[in-house]
C-alpha cells in the first residue's frame, strides 16, 4: 500500500513521480517504488507545489515557491538548473513548454513567462 497523504502533486511520463509537501520526490515504475533521489541541489525544496514532466522531455520541473524558484532536475534526480523570480513566491501553478523554451507561471492572478535558455 502506497501512502500518498503528504502528496502535493504528481506527473507521469511512463513512470509516476509524486512530489510530497516536504520536498521529497517518489518515483513509481510499473506500480512499484523505483530508486530516486535529488542530488546536487544546494538549497532543499521548501513548500513545493507542483511537479512537471512528460515523455517527450528529459527533465523534471518543480515549482518551489518557498524558495521563489523553479528547479530543473534530470530524470535521475540530478540538479540541472534553477529559475528564480520574486513572482514565484506567490505562484499557484505552472506549465512548461520546452519546445517553445518557455515556462508559464500563474501568480497573483497573472501569468508570467520565463524563457528557458
Amino acid at each position: 500500500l502506497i501512502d500518498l497523504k503528504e502528496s502535493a502533486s504528481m506527473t507521469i511520463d511512463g513512470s509516476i513521480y509524486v512530489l510530497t509537501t516536504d520536498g521529497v520526490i517518489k518515483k513509481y515504475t510499473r506500480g512499484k517504488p523505483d530508486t530516486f533521489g535529488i542530488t546536487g541541489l544546494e538549497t532543499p525544496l521548501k513548500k513545493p507545489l507542483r511537479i512537471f514532466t512528460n515523455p517527450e522531455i528529459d527533465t523534471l520541473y518543480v515549482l518551489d515557491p518557498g524558495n521563489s524558484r523553479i528547479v530543473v532536475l534530470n530524470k535521475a534526480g540530478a540538479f540541472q538548473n534553477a529559475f528564480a523570480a520574486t513572482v514565484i513566491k506567490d505562484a499557484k501553478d505552472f506549465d512548461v513548454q520546452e519546445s517553445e523554451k518557455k515556462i508559464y507561471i500563474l501568480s497573483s492572478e497573472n501569468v508570467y513567462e520565463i524563457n528557458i535558455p
Side-chain angles (χ1 to χ4, degrees):
L1 186 63
I2 299 171
D3 182 6
L4 298 175
K5 66 181 169 198
E6 298 298 322
S7 301
S9 179
M10 73 174 214
T11 190
I12 301 171
D13 75 345
S15 292
I16 299 171
Y17 299 85
V18 177
L19 174 67
T20 64
T21 55
D22 62 357
V24 172
I25 298 172
K26 298 175 182 178
K27 180 179 178 183
Y28 300 92
T29 305
R30 296 185 180 153
K32 297 185 187 243
D34 206 344
T35 304
F36 188 88
I38 299 173
T39 59
L41 184 63
E42 290 183 20
T43 303
L45 299 173
K46 180 180 176 186
K47 299 182 185 173
L49 283 181
R50 302 277 185 265
I51 187 169
F52 175 87
T53 194
N54 65 44
E56 289 81 42
I57 63 177
D58 296 325
T59 49
L60 294 167
Y61 293 83
V62 180
L63 180 61
D64 183 22
N67 290 306
S68 299
R69 67 184 177 176
I70 294 172
V71 172
V72 184
L73 308 168
N74 68 21
K75 289 190 179 175
F79 174 77
Q80 303 293 299
N81 204 348
F83 302 99
T86 55
V87 297
I88 298 173
K89 179 181 178 187
D90 297 318
K92 302 294 180 227
D93 206 353
F94 79 128
D95 190 50
V96 179
Q97 299 295 317
E98 272 198 355
S99 61
E100 297 175 20
K101 300 209 174 282
K102 304 277 185 195
I103 299 173
Y104 299 97
I105 303 161
L106 175 63
S107 179
S108 301
E109 301 178 15
N110 294 303
V111 176
Y112 298 90
E113 179 181 296
I114 294 176
N115 293 315
I116 302 171

